[in-house]
């Protein structure tokens, strides 16, 4: 609006007129826009309040929500981060099974190691260790013909007719039945030559292969090299002791 005259200005000073004079006054101070500045200050204060009350991350999500998301991985199992270590140790059953198969192979192959035959004055032949044997270790098989009781008694009676023929028959029980290993026949097997002693360093044990019993000798204690291998024949009959007095020792 333009005023009609300067006189009207003076007559009505109370009514503000948007004249060039006022426009020039505003033009002289273009930076002072108080209403606009006040509005910006109020707005910025509100923004600060919102920012302080609801902090946001760079991606624009609320930090509170991010904390909830971070709690989920904490509920995982330890095995999700660390693999389970399994022991390489073998069970007792596995060790016994391996030992049994090892003895099977030794018996089937007729393996006889760590021994040698020596002649002793007044005693005859004996078997000596040339290596150390640990307690419970397989030493040798008492190898011979496996007989049932009736046939064994028939052979024993025949051997008794010839005093020059020794008797190398060993009777034992297996699955409620009596058997005998007859090693009287001279062979290269060493088990039949091991001598008797009540305090020997070997002991007899039965070892089954495919349901058939085998008589073996194992170390009853640790055996050092150069020791004579001995075991208890177990014959305590009077007739046997009279014929072989060394059975008393």
């Amino acid at each position: 609006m333009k005023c009609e005259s300067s006189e009207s200005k003076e007559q009505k000073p109370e009514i503000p007129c948007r004249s060039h004079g006022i426009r020039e006054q505003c033009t002289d101070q273009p930076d002072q826009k108080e209403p606009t500045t006040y509005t910006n200050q109020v707005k910025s204060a509100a923004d600060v309040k919102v920012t302080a009350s609801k902090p946001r991350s760079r991606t624009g999500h609320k930090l509170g929500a991010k904390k909830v998301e971070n709690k989920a991985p904490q509920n995982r199992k330890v095995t999700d981060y660390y693999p389970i270590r399994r022991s390489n140790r073998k069970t007792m059953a596995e060790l016994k099974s391996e030992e049994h198969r090892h003895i099977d192979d030794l018996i089937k192959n007729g393996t006889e190691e760590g021994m040698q035959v020596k002649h002793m004055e007044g005693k005859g032949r004996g078997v000596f260790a040339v290596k150390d044997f640990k307690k419970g270790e397989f030493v040798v098989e008492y190898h011979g013909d496996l007989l049932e009781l009736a046939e064994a008694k028939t052979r024993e009676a025949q051997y008794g007719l010839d005093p020059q023929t020794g008797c190398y028959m060993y009777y034992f029980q297996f699955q409620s039945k009596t058997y005998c290993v007859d090693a009287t026949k001279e062979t290269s097997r060493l088990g039949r030559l091991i001598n008797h002693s009540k305090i020997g360093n070997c002991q007899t044990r039965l070892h089954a292969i495919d349901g058939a019993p085998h008589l073996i000798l194992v170390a009853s204690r640790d055996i050092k090299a150069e020791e004579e291998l001995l075991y208890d024949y177990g014959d305590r009959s009077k007739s046997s002791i009279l014929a072989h007095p060394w059975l008393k020792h």
Side-chain angles (χ1 to χ4, degrees):
M1 288 177 62
K2 289 184 182 181
C3 295
E4 295 178 357
S5 64
S6 59
E7 293 179 357
S8 60
K9 277 185 187 178
E10 295 176 356
Q11 291 176 358
K12 299 178 181 179
E14 294 179 358
I15 301 173
C17 179
R18 296 180 182 178
S19 62
H20 293 285
I22 296 175
R23 190 179 296 174
E24 289 176 359
Q25 187 177 0
C26 295
T27 308
D28 292 340
Q29 296 177 355
D31 296 334
Q32 297 180 358
K33 297 181 180 179
E34 293 180 358
T36 306
T37 306
Y38 177 77
T39 305
N40 291 338
Q41 289 178 352
V42 173
K43 186 176 182 181
S44 60
D47 292 341
V48 172
K49 187 176 180 181
V50 172
T51 305
S53 61
K54 296 182 179 179
R56 296 176 180 270
S57 63
R58 294 179 179 178
T59 57
H61 297 287
K62 294 181 180 179
L63 294 179
K66 190 172 184 179
K67 289 183 179 179
V68 174
E69 292 176 359
N70 291 338
K71 287 182 180 179
Q74 294 178 359
N75 296 329
R76 292 183 179 180
K77 298 179 182 179
V78 178
T79 53
D80 293 339
Y81 302 96
Y82 302 97
I84 299 175
R85 289 186 177 181
R86 301 191 182 277
S87 176
N88 293 327
R89 295 182 179 179
K90 296 179 180 180
T91 63
M92 186 61 67
E94 290 175 336
L95 293 174
K96 287 184 177 181
S97 179
E98 286 185 359
E99 181 184 5
H100 195 280
R101 291 195 299 268
H102 175 64
I103 296 175
D104 286 353
D105 293 337
L106 294 176
I107 292 174
K108 291 176 180 179
N109 298 328
T111 304
E112 297 181 343
E113 298 176 341
M115 299 168 290
Q116 67 176 0
V117 178
K118 292 183 179 180
H119 290 267
M120 296 170 286
E121 187 177 352
K123 191 176 181 179
R125 293 177 294 179
V127 181
F128 288 77
V130 296
K131 71 168 189 176
D132 295 346
F133 289 93
K134 293 182 179 180
K135 182 179 179 180
E137 184 178 353
F138 171 84
V139 177
V140 70
E141 179 191 8
Y142 189 84
H143 185 268
D145 297 331
L146 181 63
L147 308 174
E148 293 187 3
L149 182 59
E151 186 177 358
K153 288 297 182 181
T154 301
R155 286 196 185 186
E156 186 177 1
Q158 294 174 351
Y159 296 151
L161 298 176
D162 184 4
Q164 300 297 324
T165 303
C167 184
Y168 295 81
M169 306 184 76
Y170 196 105
Y171 292 87
F172 61 92
Q173 295 283 330
F174 177 71
Q175 295 181 351
S176 303
K177 192 174 182 180
T178 303
Y179 292 90
C180 174
V181 174
D182 182 10
T184 303
K185 184 179 179 181
E186 187 72 32
T187 64
S188 60
R189 307 300 290 266
L190 301 180
R192 62 188 295 277
L193 300 179
I194 296 179
N195 289 318
H196 162 80
S197 175
K198 288 184 178 180
I199 54 172
N201 49 22
C202 295
Q203 62 185 16
T204 57
R205 183 179 297 175
L206 292 177
H207 183 88
I209 300 178
D210 298 330
H214 292 259
L215 189 64
I216 64 173
L217 294 171
V218 299
S220 57
R221 59 170 175 81
D222 291 343
I223 302 174
K224 298 294 183 181
E226 304 301 328
E227 283 190 60
E228 184 183 4
L229 301 176
L230 303 164
Y231 73 101
D232 187 359
Y233 287 1
D235 192 350
R236 303 289 189 266
S237 64
K238 292 182 179 180
S239 58
S240 297
I241 292 174
L242 287 174
H244 309 285
W246 42 265
L247 289 174
K248 295 185 294 184
H249 305 289

PDB file of all heavy atoms in Angstrom, residues 190-209:
ATOM      1  N   LEU A 190      59.018-123.665  20.840  1.00  0.00           N
ATOM      2  CA  LEU A 190      59.747-123.448  22.094  1.00  0.00           C
ATOM      3  C   LEU A 190      58.890-123.592  23.344  1.00  0.00           C
ATOM      4  O   LEU A 190      59.422-123.809  24.436  1.00  0.00           O
ATOM      5  CB  LEU A 190      60.389-122.054  22.082  1.00  0.00           C
ATOM      6  CG  LEU A 190      61.377-121.787  20.951  1.00  0.00           C
ATOM      7  CD1 LEU A 190      61.936-120.368  21.067  1.00  0.00           C
ATOM      8  CD2 LEU A 190      62.510-122.811  20.965  1.00  0.00           C
ATOM      9  N   GLY A 191      57.568-123.469  23.196  1.00  0.00           N
ATOM     10  CA  GLY A 191      56.715-123.534  24.374  1.00  0.00           C
ATOM     11  C   GLY A 191      56.850-124.830  25.144  1.00  0.00           C
ATOM     12  O   GLY A 191      56.784-124.833  26.377  1.00  0.00           O
ATOM     13  N   ARG A 192      57.037-125.924  24.465  1.00  0.00           N
ATOM     14  CA  ARG A 192      57.141-127.236  25.107  1.00  0.00           C
ATOM     15  C   ARG A 192      58.415-127.413  25.913  1.00  0.00           C
ATOM     16  O   ARG A 192      58.520-128.346  26.710  1.00  0.00           O
ATOM     17  CB  ARG A 192      57.049-128.345  24.044  1.00  0.00           C
ATOM     18  CG  ARG A 192      58.166-128.306  23.027  1.00  0.00           C
ATOM     19  CD  ARG A 192      57.924-129.304  21.899  1.00  0.00           C
ATOM     20  NE  ARG A 192      57.942-130.685  22.358  1.00  0.00           N
ATOM     21  CZ  ARG A 192      59.045-131.413  22.526  1.00  0.00           C
ATOM     22  NH1 ARG A 192      60.242-130.889  22.271  1.00  0.00           N
ATOM     23  NH2 ARG A 192      58.968-132.664  22.920  1.00  0.00           N
ATOM     24  N   LEU A 193      59.406-126.538  25.710  1.00  0.00           N
ATOM     25  CA  LEU A 193      60.695-126.685  26.385  1.00  0.00           C
ATOM     26  C   LEU A 193      60.836-125.809  27.625  1.00  0.00           C
ATOM     27  O   LEU A 193      61.869-125.860  28.302  1.00  0.00           O
ATOM     28  CB  LEU A 193      61.839-126.359  25.415  1.00  0.00           C
ATOM     29  CG  LEU A 193      61.926-127.238  24.169  1.00  0.00           C
ATOM     30  CD1 LEU A 193      63.088-126.792  23.285  1.00  0.00           C
ATOM     31  CD2 LEU A 193      62.087-128.721  24.562  1.00  0.00           C
ATOM     32  N   ILE A 194      59.856-125.005  27.931  1.00  0.00           N
ATOM     33  CA  ILE A 194      59.942-124.140  29.115  1.00  0.00           C
ATOM     34  C   ILE A 194      59.778-124.998  30.363  1.00  0.00           C
ATOM     35  O   ILE A 194      58.833-125.781  30.490  1.00  0.00           O
ATOM     36  CB  ILE A 194      58.875-123.028  29.053  1.00  0.00           C
ATOM     37  CG1 ILE A 194      59.141-122.116  27.848  1.00  0.00           C
ATOM     38  CG2 ILE A 194      58.863-122.207  30.332  1.00  0.00           C
ATOM     39  CD1 ILE A 194      58.128-120.997  27.676  1.00  0.00           C
ATOM     40  N   ASN A 195      60.702-124.828  31.297  1.00  0.00           N
ATOM     41  CA  ASN A 195      60.764-125.674  32.491  1.00  0.00           C
ATOM     42  C   ASN A 195      59.800-125.214  33.587  1.00  0.00           C
ATOM     43  O   ASN A 195      59.225-124.126  33.524  1.00  0.00           O
ATOM     44  CB  ASN A 195      62.191-125.705  33.037  1.00  0.00           C
ATOM     45  CG  ASN A 195      63.123-126.493  32.137  1.00  0.00           C
ATOM     46  OD1 ASN A 195      62.776-127.566  31.627  1.00  0.00           O
ATOM     47  ND2 ASN A 195      64.322-125.952  31.899  1.00  0.00           N
ATOM     48  N   HIS A 196      59.687-126.088  34.591  1.00  0.00           N
ATOM     49  CA  HIS A 196      58.750-125.886  35.693  1.00  0.00           C
ATOM     50  C   HIS A 196      59.385-125.118  36.849  1.00  0.00           C
ATOM     51  O   HIS A 196      60.564-125.275  37.150  1.00  0.00           O
ATOM     52  CB  HIS A 196      58.267-127.252  36.217  1.00  0.00           C
ATOM     53  CG  HIS A 196      57.666-127.204  37.577  1.00  0.00           C
ATOM     54  ND1 HIS A 196      56.371-126.797  37.808  1.00  0.00           N
ATOM     55  CD2 HIS A 196      58.199-127.503  38.802  1.00  0.00           C
ATOM     56  CE1 HIS A 196      56.116-126.854  39.091  1.00  0.00           C
ATOM     57  NE2 HIS A 196      57.217-127.289  39.721  1.00  0.00           N
ATOM     58  N   SER A 197      58.560-124.311  37.526  1.00  0.00           N
ATOM     59  CA  SER A 197      58.913-123.692  38.796  1.00  0.00           C
ATOM     60  C   SER A 197      57.631-123.190  39.447  1.00  0.00           C
ATOM     61  O   SER A 197      56.779-122.608  38.774  1.00  0.00           O
ATOM     62  CB  SER A 197      59.886-122.525  38.615  1.00  0.00           C
ATOM     63  OG  SER A 197      60.118-121.883  39.861  1.00  0.00           O
ATOM     64  N   LYS A 198      57.519-123.426  40.754  1.00  0.00           N
ATOM     65  CA  LYS A 198      56.343-122.940  41.471  1.00  0.00           C
ATOM     66  C   LYS A 198      56.315-121.413  41.565  1.00  0.00           C
ATOM     67  O   LYS A 198      55.257-120.832  41.796  1.00  0.00           O
ATOM     68  CB  LYS A 198      56.287-123.548  42.868  1.00  0.00           C
ATOM     69  CG  LYS A 198      55.915-125.019  42.879  1.00  0.00           C
ATOM     70  CD  LYS A 198      55.799-125.513  44.320  1.00  0.00           C
ATOM     71  CE  LYS A 198      55.375-126.971  44.358  1.00  0.00           C
ATOM     72  NZ  LYS A 198      55.255-127.475  45.758  1.00  0.00           N
ATOM     73  N   ILE A 199      57.486-120.819  41.426  1.00  0.00           N
ATOM     74  CA  ILE A 199      57.590-119.352  41.482  1.00  0.00           C
ATOM     75  C   ILE A 199      58.102-118.819  40.146  1.00  0.00           C
ATOM     76  O   ILE A 199      59.022-118.008  40.090  1.00  0.00           O
ATOM     77  CB  ILE A 199      58.492-118.901  42.647  1.00  0.00           C
ATOM     78  CG1 ILE A 199      59.856-119.600  42.561  1.00  0.00           C
ATOM     79  CG2 ILE A 199      57.831-119.175  43.982  1.00  0.00           C
ATOM     80  CD1 ILE A 199      60.872-119.070  43.573  1.00  0.00           C
ATOM     81  N   GLY A 200      57.528-119.327  39.082  1.00  0.00           N
ATOM     82  CA  GLY A 200      57.969-118.941  37.743  1.00  0.00           C
ATOM     83  C   GLY A 200      57.598-117.504  37.389  1.00  0.00           C
ATOM     84  O   GLY A 200      56.890-116.811  38.125  1.00  0.00           O
ATOM     85  N   ASN A 201      58.069-117.064  36.237  1.00  0.00           N
ATOM     86  CA  ASN A 201      57.791-115.712  35.750  1.00  0.00           C
ATOM     87  C   ASN A 201      56.766-115.700  34.613  1.00  0.00           C
ATOM     88  O   ASN A 201      56.514-114.652  34.022  1.00  0.00           O
ATOM     89  CB  ASN A 201      59.082-115.021  35.298  1.00  0.00           C
ATOM     90  CG  ASN A 201      59.901-115.896  34.364  1.00  0.00           C
ATOM     91  OD1 ASN A 201      59.373-116.813  33.727  1.00  0.00           O
ATOM     92  ND2 ASN A 201      61.203-115.643  34.294  1.00  0.00           N
ATOM     93  N   CYS A 202      56.203-116.877  34.338  1.00  0.00           N
ATOM     94  CA  CYS A 202      55.157-116.990  33.320  1.00  0.00           C
ATOM     95  C   CYS A 202      53.971-117.741  33.890  1.00  0.00           C
ATOM     96  O   CYS A 202      54.096-118.455  34.899  1.00  0.00           O
ATOM     97  CB  CYS A 202      55.672-117.716  32.074  1.00  0.00           C
ATOM     98  SG  CYS A 202      56.980-116.841  31.188  1.00  0.00           S
ATOM     99  N   GLN A 203      52.828-117.598  33.237  1.00  0.00           N
ATOM    100  CA  GLN A 203      51.631-118.340  33.637  1.00  0.00           C
ATOM    101  C   GLN A 203      50.821-118.685  32.393  1.00  0.00           C
ATOM    102  O   GLN A 203      50.903-118.000  31.376  1.00  0.00           O
ATOM    103  CB  GLN A 203      50.780-117.533  34.612  1.00  0.00           C
ATOM    104  CG  GLN A 203      50.247-116.231  34.055  1.00  0.00           C
ATOM    105  CD  GLN A 203      49.515-115.403  35.105  1.00  0.00           C
ATOM    106  OE1 GLN A 203      49.638-115.638  36.300  1.00  0.00           O
ATOM    107  NE2 GLN A 203      48.749-114.417  34.647  1.00  0.00           N
ATOM    108  N   THR A 204      50.068-119.780  32.500  1.00  0.00           N
ATOM    109  CA  THR A 204      49.274-120.231  31.363  1.00  0.00           C
ATOM    110  C   THR A 204      47.962-119.445  31.291  1.00  0.00           C
ATOM    111  O   THR A 204      47.425-118.989  32.310  1.00  0.00           O
ATOM    112  CB  THR A 204      48.975-121.728  31.478  1.00  0.00           C
ATOM    113  OG1 THR A 204      48.299-121.972  32.721  1.00  0.00           O
ATOM    114  CG2 THR A 204      50.244-122.550  31.409  1.00  0.00           C
ATOM    115  N   ARG A 205      47.471-119.336  30.070  1.00  0.00           N
ATOM    116  CA  ARG A 205      46.204-118.654  29.839  1.00  0.00           C
ATOM    117  C   ARG A 205      45.582-119.239  28.577  1.00  0.00           C
ATOM    118  O   ARG A 205      46.290-119.606  27.639  1.00  0.00           O
ATOM    119  CB  ARG A 205      46.423-117.152  29.688  1.00  0.00           C
ATOM    120  CG  ARG A 205      45.134-116.342  29.517  1.00  0.00           C
ATOM    121  CD  ARG A 205      45.434-114.870  29.391  1.00  0.00           C
ATOM    122  NE  ARG A 205      46.057-114.335  30.584  1.00  0.00           N
ATOM    123  CZ  ARG A 205      46.504-113.093  30.700  1.00  0.00           C
ATOM    124  NH1 ARG A 205      46.430-112.268  29.654  1.00  0.00           N
ATOM    125  NH2 ARG A 205      47.044-112.672  31.818  1.00  0.00           N
ATOM    126  N   LEU A 206      44.245-119.320  28.572  1.00  0.00           N
ATOM    127  CA  LEU A 206      43.538-119.825  27.403  1.00  0.00           C
ATOM    128  C   LEU A 206      43.191-118.670  26.472  1.00  0.00           C
ATOM    129  O   LEU A 206      42.781-117.593  26.909  1.00  0.00           O
ATOM    130  CB  LEU A 206      42.259-120.552  27.831  1.00  0.00           C
ATOM    131  CG  LEU A 206      42.471-121.869  28.596  1.00  0.00           C
ATOM    132  CD1 LEU A 206      41.125-122.447  29.025  1.00  0.00           C
ATOM    133  CD2 LEU A 206      43.236-122.875  27.752  1.00  0.00           C
ATOM    134  N   HIS A 207      43.357-118.922  25.174  1.00  0.00           N
ATOM    135  CA  HIS A 207      43.062-117.926  24.161  1.00  0.00           C
ATOM    136  C   HIS A 207      42.277-118.616  23.049  1.00  0.00           C
ATOM    137  O   HIS A 207      42.782-119.534  22.395  1.00  0.00           O
ATOM    138  CB  HIS A 207      44.356-117.324  23.608  1.00  0.00           C
ATOM    139  CG  HIS A 207      44.133-116.238  22.616  1.00  0.00           C
ATOM    140  ND1 HIS A 207      43.980-114.912  22.969  1.00  0.00           N
ATOM    141  CD2 HIS A 207      44.017-116.285  21.260  1.00  0.00           C
ATOM    142  CE1 HIS A 207      43.806-114.181  21.886  1.00  0.00           C
ATOM    143  NE2 HIS A 207      43.820-114.994  20.837  1.00  0.00           N
ATOM    144  N   ALA A 208      41.044-118.184  22.839  1.00  0.00           N
ATOM    145  CA  ALA A 208      40.164-118.823  21.855  1.00  0.00           C
ATOM    146  C   ALA A 208      40.278-118.140  20.499  1.00  0.00           C
ATOM    147  O   ALA A 208      40.301-116.910  20.406  1.00  0.00           O
ATOM    148  CB  ALA A 208      38.725-118.791  22.340  1.00  0.00           C
ATOM    149  N   ILE A 209      40.366-118.959  19.458  1.00  0.00           N
ATOM    150  CA  ILE A 209      40.345-118.477  18.081  1.00  0.00           C
ATOM    151  C   ILE A 209      39.316-119.305  17.325  1.00  0.00           C
ATOM    152  O   ILE A 209      39.474-120.526  17.192  1.00  0.00           O
ATOM    153  CB  ILE A 209      41.724-118.603  17.393  1.00  0.00           C
ATOM    154  CG1 ILE A 209      42.776-117.782  18.140  1.00  0.00           C
ATOM    155  CG2 ILE A 209      41.638-118.156  15.938  1.00  0.00           C
ATOM    156  CD1 ILE A 209      44.167-117.907  17.536  1.00  0.00           C
TER     157      ILE A 209
END
